[in-house]
Amino acid sequence: TSSNASSKTASATTLINYDELSKKVRNITKNESFGVINSGTPGEILEYCLDFKNYGSTPMKNYILSDTLSSNLKAVLNGYDAERGSGSGYGIKLILNGGSATYFTSATDLDAAELIDLGGNTQNKFKLKLATLQQNDAGQVCFKASIR
């Protein structure tokens, strides 16, 4: 008998999108440490930070972080002006992969972030758009709000 068996092989690659996101807050008026919950009295300033990392096997394009602030908070649209050292209206701070801080204006403009205070008892909004979050990229984005 003759054996005319052929050997065929195939391979497949599975790309996984897997990011991790956590949120923390601290009362900077009282010089408190970060935690998952915090409190204060009207006029005190809270700082919120979102930590994120891409654990997936592929870059994540058009990566957007967003958050809605409670209606009892007022966005601090110039919260990082002093830390930045020049300019005004810088309400968002980003640290990517442990590097130096990058500051964004709060305004809805050409930079990648916005912090919107809608006034009154309306919920305010935060958004940061990164063109691509590369595999293993990690960062932290922060903004401040005062208690109404």
Side-chain angles (χ1 to χ4, degrees), residues 26-147:
R26 69 179 175 151
N27 186 320
I28 59 176
T29 302
K30 294 180 179 176
N31 198 28
E32 294 178 344
S33 299
F34 279 105
V36 294
I37 192 167
N38 210 309
S39 63
T41 58
E44 292 181 345
I45 306 293
L46 303 178
E47 181 177 37
Y48 289 89
C49 292
L50 303 172
D51 295 324
F52 57 93
K53 182 168 182 169
N54 180 0
Y55 285 100
S57 59
T58 184
M60 299 175 82
K61 295 182 179 180
N62 298 315
Y63 190 75
I64 297 174
L65 291 166
S66 63
D67 196 14
T68 301
L69 284 69
S70 168
S71 60
N72 68 340
L73 297 173
K74 177 178 175 34
V76 179
L77 303 179
N78 61 353
Y80 295 102
D81 284 0
E83 190 175 309
R84 185 174 184 276
S86 64
S88 63
Y90 290 90
I92 301 152
K93 175 174 75 171
L94 170 68
I95 298 173
L96 192 57
N97 295 319
S100 300
T102 302
Y103 300 92
F104 297 96
T105 60
S106 297
T108 303
D109 54 16
L110 297 178
D111 69 17
E114 60 187 30
L115 180 61
I116 302 169
D117 182 42
L118 299 171
N121 290 324
T122 308
Q123 292 182 326
N124 301 299
K125 301 181 184 305
F126 156 79
K127 183 169 80 173
L128 171 71
K129 181 178 179 183
L130 300 175
T132 302
L133 186 63
Q134 298 293 338
Q135 183 180 3
N136 295 315
D137 273 359
Q140 180 182 74
V141 61
C142 302
F143 57 90
K144 297 176 184 178
S146 64
I147 301 171

Side-chain angles (χ1 to χ4, degrees), residues 7-13:
S7 174
K8 295 183 180 180
T9 61
S11 64
T13 302

